[in-house]
Amino acid sequence: VVDKHVTASHRTVRDAFRRKAKDAHPDRGGTSEGFDALKRAQDVLIDDNGRAKLDAKLMDVSIGSLSLEELKWSRELVRLAEEEEAGEVRGAEAVLASARAYAVAERALAQIAVKKKKDAAKLSEDKKTQLLSLAATKRRKNAQMASQNDAKGEDATATLLLTPEMLDTVFQDGGKESALGRDGTDTSRSAGGVSVDATVETNCPKCHGWGEKEGHWTMAIDKLCVKCDGFGRVAVTKKVKVSLRKGIADGETVTVFGAGHAGYRRIANALGAMGDAGDA
């Protein structure tokens, strides 16, 4: 409301209020609501406790956090500088007191910077630990997929919402579509087709499914592939052609074979050469 920087001192807030109050006052063409809002803003900003609560809400941090402490001492430095510029620091005692206040504020800010650096380092380590754990879990899943079902990928599910207009377009030309199911039976039927975007997984193109920069399964954060975060797999979007028979009912499930997750690339020999991926 008073249009000042977050580190503005009490002096700056009061000066801004006086300038804006001239135009906001009802006697000068303003409104009572606007003037009252301006007054409430000043009252909050010059009250340290009220301002701390407002800062905590705006910054989405808790009272007593390092961010609020840093902001408090930054405002203190601004206040001291304003006193000097206004010529209010006069006499030896006042100069000494101001210097001491500067030293206290600067020391507090330096200590806060050290604490924030330590917190950031701990957060970074926690994040690395979490990434390693996720990568290990994902790799176990990949290994299980490589050892089962001839390394074929899992089925992927996508939901397609059809409208009557879409169905009219699909079946306007009729047509006969021939297809074989997984068991080899003929599933040919009079049908039309629509395309749907499906998100599926495939081997990471950067590490080729290893999950690492150098092709070794070493669980170290600096070795993990930067593209897949060590998972060995990445999500991709593909177009899947869905054939629909005439007379399909609302809520009916249609299964499309061979269009799910790509198979996992299996290790072919003891030297670590990769074999071909299983079928999707």
Side-chain angles (χ1 to χ4, degrees), residues 37-220:
L38 189 63
K39 183 65 170 63
R40 286 195 301 272
Q42 180 198 224
D43 293 342
V44 170
L45 295 178
I46 63 176
D47 175 66
D48 291 337
N49 291 332
R51 192 169 185 178
K53 293 178 181 178
L54 177 63
D55 290 334
K57 182 178 180 180
L58 295 176
M59 298 171 66
D60 194 22
V61 296
S62 60
I63 297 292
S65 67
L66 288 178
S67 295
L68 289 186
E69 285 294 304
E70 185 177 37
L71 187 55
K72 181 187 76 172
W73 288 110
S74 296
R75 287 174 181 155
E76 177 65 5
L77 288 179
V78 171
R79 183 189 70 79
L80 293 170
E82 288 177 346
E83 286 183 350
E84 278 192 299
E85 292 174 3
E88 297 175 358
V89 182
R90 299 173 183 174
E93 291 186 3
V95 171
L96 183 58
S98 179
R100 286 173 176 167
Y102 264 114
V104 170
E106 290 172 347
R107 185 165 55 251
L109 286 172
Q111 291 173 347
I112 290 172
V114 171
K115 290 179 181 178
K116 292 183 74 172
K117 187 175 181 179
K118 289 181 179 179
D119 288 348
K122 184 179 183 303
L123 184 63
S124 178
E125 285 300 317
D126 291 345
K127 184 177 180 181
K128 289 178 182 179
T129 301
Q130 184 180 26
L131 282 175
L132 285 173
S133 177
L134 289 174
T137 300
K138 187 67 175 181
R139 289 184 185 194
R140 284 194 293 270
K141 180 180 178 182
N142 292 346
Q144 183 180 21
M145 183 169 61
S147 64
Q148 296 177 354
N149 195 28
D150 294 328
K152 292 180 180 178
E154 300 172 337
D155 292 335
T157 301
T159 302
L160 175 64
L161 181 63
L162 295 173
T163 65
E165 293 75 13
M166 291 171 65
L167 288 175
D168 288 342
T169 302
V170 168
F171 296 118
Q172 62 184 353
D173 297 325
K176 181 83 170 177
E177 183 167 308
S178 178
L180 291 178
R182 284 187 173 179
D183 58 359
T185 58
D186 185 358
T187 59
S188 301
R189 63 187 68 188
S190 178
V194 294
S195 294
V196 59
D197 288 332
T199 300
V200 297
E201 284 186 355
T202 187
N203 283 350
C204 173
K206 188 173 183 65
C207 66
H208 304 293
W210 283 103
E212 296 205 2
K213 298 176 183 178
E214 286 128 11
H216 303 289
W217 282 41
T218 305
M219 292 305 292

